[in-house]
Amino acid sequence: MPSTVAERLAQRILQDHHIQVSPPRLAIAAYVLATDDHPSADQVWERVKAELPGVSRATVYNTLNLLVEKSLLCEHVLAEGRRVYDANTERHHHFIDERTGRIENIPWGQLKVSGLEGLGGVKVSDYQVVVRGRRI
Amino acid sequence: MPSTVAERLAQRILQDHHIQVSPPRLAIAAYVLATDDHPSADQVWERVKAELPGVSRATVYNTLNLLVEKSLLCEHVLAEGRRVYDANTERHHHFIDERTGRIENIPWGQLKVSGLEGLGGVKVSDYQVVVRGRRI
DNA sequence: ATCGTTGCAAATGGTTTGCATTGGC
DNA sequence: GCCAATGCAAACCATTTGCAACGAT
């Protein structure tokens, strides 16, 4: 039973958050918590099936929702009905490649937004810049 | 046949863009091109049904797609699988009220984003700030 | 008469839910 | 033995599509 680094890390994280560990959850978490991609639920499913052929789609969806609920994962709806998962739970901005659809994180410090104080009558709790374009 | 200001304006706009005018299209365009709300397709449908009880959902969806295609309308996917339509086709930012879900436009000049030049290897074609919070 | 538009209903794609089964503790 | 997690299939919701009927030109 070769447990990878990602799996051991995932196991640790699940336990720390009082989430009962199981093979599907371990496989899902090991992938989704380690990747820099922004996979959709179905992409996670495809990926996890390679390792654990029996997992059902429902389990993947339910586990992702669980991880979001426990704040281990963020859910973004950035484009075209694509609900996407992101292990980076710190504040950051997003870049969407128009050609590939690929979503990348932009470190928080890299962009600065000014003028927010000028928004009258609103209490801002969060904001982000969404950049669209293409890699060259 | 009482034609409102919005309807006459919509008729004009449709004609100018070589879109054949019909009662459903007129009702849809009159509402969606005039409102400051960011209605979903179904919200448009509800609204239009009040005036034209017979319209089918499909016609509303198809007409909205047509208006987007003709660049009379923008489509945004800002939150929670909500595909939303916006008659403001100029660049602008968005504010999402977390309590009501209401989406408002923020004029382009009101916020400034700096640091975009520092994004290496990408050609930026568009960007916007998405602000979440609550009105007070 | 033709072509575009409509309404209906069925198909689709992504996500959730119900339920009986399985497996940890 | 009990409760939680799983797999499967059915349900669901928003959107799209196929098609026959209709209306304007």
Side-chain angles (χ1 to χ4, degrees), chain B residues 57-58 61-62 65 83:
Chain B
R57 210 192 291 254
Y61 276 90
N62 290 335
N65 285 339
R83 192 181 305 197

Side-chain angles (χ1 to χ4, degrees), chain B residues 17-36:
Chain B
H17 287 78
H18 313 102
I19 299 172
Q20 190 175 311
V21 178
S22 72
R25 287 184 177 175
L26 196 52
I28 294 163
Y31 168 53
V32 83
L33 294 180
T35 186
D36 276 342

Side-chain angles (χ1 to χ4, degrees), chain B residues 29-104:
Chain B
Y31 168 53
V32 83
L33 294 180
T35 186
D36 276 342
D37 288 352
H38 292 68
S40 68
D42 261 35
Q43 288 170 331
V44 175
W45 186 46
E46 291 301 335
R47 184 77 174 233
V48 169
K49 266 197 301 188
E51 202 157 325
L52 221 75
V55 266
S56 79
R57 210 192 291 254
T59 298
V60 173
Y61 276 90
N62 290 335
T63 302
L64 290 172
N65 285 339
L66 179 64
L67 296 180
V68 169
E69 208 173 285
K70 299 282 188 179
S71 303
L72 294 172
L73 220 49
C74 283
E75 193 172 61
H76 301 294
V77 188
L78 293 174
E80 251 331 288
R82 288 179 67 201
R83 192 181 305 197
V84 128
Y85 295 90
D86 188 347
N88 183 353
T89 56
E90 289 164 35
R91 284 191 145 189
H92 58 277
H93 306 291
H94 284 104
F95 170 75
I96 304 176
D97 190 307
E98 286 174 334
R99 209 167 21 190
T100 64
R102 187 184 158 74
I103 297 169
E104 297 172 26

